[in-house]
Amino acid sequence: MKIAILGTGVVGQTLSEKLVALGHEIYMGTRNVEETHAKDKPDMFGRPPVSEWIHHIKQVNLVTFAEAAKNGYMIINATSGQGALEALTLAGKENIHGKVVMDISNPLDYSKGMPPTLSVCNTDSLGEQIQKAFPDVKVVKTLNTMSAYIMVNPALIPGDHNVFMSGNDAEAKAKVKELLKTFGWKEENITDIGDITTCKGTEMLLPIWVRLMGTFQSPMFNFKIVRQVT
Amino acid sequence: MKIAILGTGVVGQTLSEKLVALGHEIYMGTRNVEETHAKDKPDMFGRPPVSEWIHHIKQVNLVTFAEAAKNGYMIINATSGQGALEALTLAGKENIHGKVVMDISNPLDYSKGMPPTLSVCNTDSLGEQIQKAFPDVKVVKTLNTMSAYIMVNPALIPGDHNVFMSGNDAEAKAKVKELLKTFGWKEENITDIGDITTCKGTEMLLPIWVRLMGTFQSPMFNFKIVRQVT
């Protein structure tokens, strides 16, 4: 399947690698292709620059946001949360029209220092803002409550643990669920919590996620919902 | 031990019952003792009125907030989140001075309808507001991420799952941890996430908690943090 990934950071790269391994063709969208190719320094996580990474992964086409969205059967928003609306605007309404937009970003605001706050929460969310700005796309918020490495390889964490899903369109959620299953997620651990308004809840998990990462000095953990046996 | 519980709702009652069973003497604080005794209707959860409940549990003394705080070696804030600061003010600085205040409330705001929003979040929290308003008490935020029934009986949920703890005072946290252990919490499942500022994270868990309760049609679940085995 041709999949558009908006964003070239560690999340976009990790998703791309997994999707390529699963046989998909990736259109990775960036603001300015030339500038992205010209980057020659490791990112803040010490990963090689995108220009070097892309050189080794032929099934990823580095293109503009618009070109990516046009080619993608499904669009994955892997930009920083604060760049999401602009990236989708640059992608072009005509290119995203009617498509499933899997939003895995979080509205993290690092401008006031660490730990980050959320640029939107409580009475609104980034997922809802995207759905409102682009009413004819099918936004499915998911995977935003864990490290990118766990998103695409849940078996890195022992036993059962959960991924949440929010969205207004049942068919779009079913498509996303199928994709998540190919990543290794068990059906019973994919928890549909309701329409897109419910992603306030998953985005607001980020503050404890950030604190737990500090406590454990590692992002390699996830949330599991344990229920009473009835 | 003499323990003050501020608040007469389902959370205060559930905590009281457990603490009495463990041999403690409870001073349950309310705004107006006469009015509380005069209540003769079941609460919103269908539980009998406090006046009837208190009749059957002799080790609970229904007194004013001030009287409760004065008698308690430790103070548990089990008011609604929005009533917390007022209850502690009525308790009196001289009566809470230097004591451990275990805050198990959440700043839930039902005034805009369901689901509730938070009256404070993101850049501040109720736990921090309490600590700031009463700088010489030792606030420990804990237990606020689950149903009252699970707070006092973690075995209701199968296997391991977590309770979080935030606070500035190590000794106060150690005391609270000992109390939690008598409720049945295993030491390894009591996760100290840091100083009182970290309770932004646990209070911001409430929106997903509320949505999950809707999805499961039951409050009988809890969060477990699952980590990579290293």
Side-chain angles (χ1 to χ4, degrees):
Chain A
M1 194 199 298
K2 290 179 176 182
I3 297 178
I5 294 187
L6 309 185
T8 61
V10 61
V11 179
Q13 290 179 31
T14 306
L15 266 284
S16 293
E17 286 167 8
K18 181 68 172 199
L19 289 165
V20 162
L22 290 168
H24 300 286
E25 190 181 349
I26 303 303
Y27 290 82
M28 180 177 254
T30 188
R31 181 187 303 269
N32 184 313
V33 179
E34 270 184 42
E35 277 180 16
T36 302
H37 271 305
K39 281 182 186 166
D40 58 1
K41 292 197 178 66
D43 70 11
M44 62 184 284
F45 304 97
R47 284 175 68 108
V50 190
S51 55
E52 192 177 311
W53 173 82
I54 204 111
H55 192 69
H56 298 285
I57 185 159
K58 302 294 180 199
Q59 303 90 332
V60 176
N61 307 285
L62 186 68
V63 293
T64 61
F65 286 130
E67 199 69 24
K70 190 176 174 182
N71 279 283
Y73 162 81
M74 180 187 276
I75 294 158
I76 299 178
N77 176 42
T79 63
S80 73
Q82 298 203 291
L85 286 167
E86 197 187 350
L88 283 158
T89 302
L90 290 170
K93 287 195 179 180
E94 66 283 10
N95 296 323
I96 63 177
H97 176 80
K99 293 181 180 173
V100 174
V101 172
M102 191 168 128
D103 176 32
I104 62 174
S105 69
N106 280 301
L108 292 170
D109 178 3
Y110 293 90
S111 70
K112 298 179 191 82
M114 290 297 284
T117 54
L118 298 179
S119 58
V120 56
C121 68
N122 201 25
T123 54
D124 199 2
S125 63
L126 181 58
E128 288 167 272
Q129 288 183 339
I130 294 173
Q131 185 63 80
K132 199 174 173 191
F134 305 97
D136 71 352
V137 304
K138 294 156 187 164
V139 180
V140 180
K141 185 96 194 191
T142 192
L143 290 175
N144 60 310
T145 53
M146 67 195 78
S147 146
Y149 305 110
I150 302 171
M151 291 180 190
V152 300
N153 191 2
L156 285 174
I157 305 294
D160 290 308
H161 49 96
N162 293 82
V163 59
F164 306 103
M165 203 164 61
S166 306
N168 297 338
D169 190 281
E171 206 180 313
K173 284 197 274 194
K175 281 179 189 166
V176 167
K177 195 182 214 178
E178 286 312 305
L179 191 67
L180 294 181
K181 282 159 77 176
T182 68
F183 289 178
W185 287 98
K186 293 184 205 169
E187 177 131 14
E188 64 268 30
N189 291 334
I190 304 171
T191 305
D192 182 349
I193 57 170
D195 66 23
I196 194 67
T197 69
T198 64
C199 79
K200 288 185 194 82
T202 58
E203 293 180 7
M204 287 171 80
L205 266 178
L206 265 288
I208 194 168
W209 189 91
V210 168
R211 293 300 195 154
L212 288 169
M213 187 179 69
T215 301
F216 302 145
Q217 290 290 301
S218 163
M220 301 311 281
F221 65 89
N222 193 22
F223 299 96
K224 176 183 177 181
I225 307 301
V226 192
R227 297 173 62 186
Q228 190 178 48
V229 180
T230 48
Chain B
M1 196 198 298
K2 291 181 177 181
I3 297 178
I5 295 187
L6 309 185
T8 61
V10 61
V11 179
Q13 290 179 32
T14 307
L15 265 282
S16 293
E17 286 166 9
K18 180 67 173 199
L19 289 165
V20 162
L22 290 169
H24 300 285
E25 190 181 349
I26 302 303
Y27 291 82
M28 181 178 255
T30 189
R31 181 187 304 268
N32 184 314
V33 178
E34 271 184 40
E35 278 180 17
T36 303
H37 270 305
K39 281 182 186 165
D40 58 1
K41 292 197 178 65
D43 70 9
M44 61 183 285
F45 304 99
R47 283 175 69 108
V50 190
S51 54
E52 192 177 311
W53 173 80
I54 206 109
H55 193 69
H56 298 286
I57 184 158
K58 302 295 179 199
Q59 304 91 330
V60 176
N61 307 284
L62 185 67
V63 293
T64 61
F65 286 131
E67 200 68 25
K70 192 176 174 181
N71 278 286
Y73 163 79
M74 182 189 274
I75 295 158
I76 299 178
N77 176 43
T79 62
S80 73
Q82 298 203 290
L85 286 166
E86 197 187 350
L88 283 158
T89 302
L90 291 169
K93 287 195 181 183
E94 66 284 11
N95 296 324
I96 62 177
H97 176 80
K99 293 182 180 174
V100 174
V101 172
M102 191 168 128
D103 176 32
I104 63 174
S105 69
N106 280 301
L108 292 170
D109 178 2
Y110 292 91
S111 70
K112 298 179 190 81
M114 290 295 285
T117 54
L118 298 179
S119 59
V120 55
C121 68
N122 200 24
T123 53
D124 200 1
S125 63
L126 181 58
E128 286 166 274
Q129 288 183 340
I130 294 173
Q131 185 62 81
K132 198 174 173 187
F134 305 98
D136 71 353
V137 304
K138 293 157 187 164
V139 180
V140 179
K141 185 97 194 189
T142 191
L143 290 175
N144 60 310
T145 53
M146 66 195 77
S147 148
Y149 305 109
I150 303 171
M151 291 179 190
V152 299
N153 190 2
L156 285 174
I157 304 294
D160 290 308
H161 47 97
N162 294 82
V163 58
F164 306 103
M165 204 165 59
S166 305
N168 296 340
D169 190 281
E171 207 180 312
K173 286 196 275 195
K175 282 180 189 163
V176 168
K177 195 181 214 177
E178 287 312 306
L179 191 68
L180 295 181
K181 282 160 77 177
T182 67
F183 290 178
W185 287 97
K186 293 185 205 166
E187 175 131 14
E188 65 267 32
N189 290 334
I190 304 171
T191 305
D192 182 348
I193 58 171
D195 67 23
I196 195 65
T197 69
T198 64
C199 80
K200 290 186 192 83
T202 58
E203 293 181 7
M204 288 172 80
L205 265 178
L206 265 288
I208 194 168
W209 188 92
V210 168
R211 294 301 195 153
L212 288 169
M213 187 180 69
T215 301
F216 302 146
Q217 291 289 302
S218 164
M220 302 309 281
F221 64 88
N222 194 19
F223 299 95
K224 176 184 177 181
I225 308 301
V226 193
R227 295 173 63 187
Q228 190 179 50
V229 181
T230 48

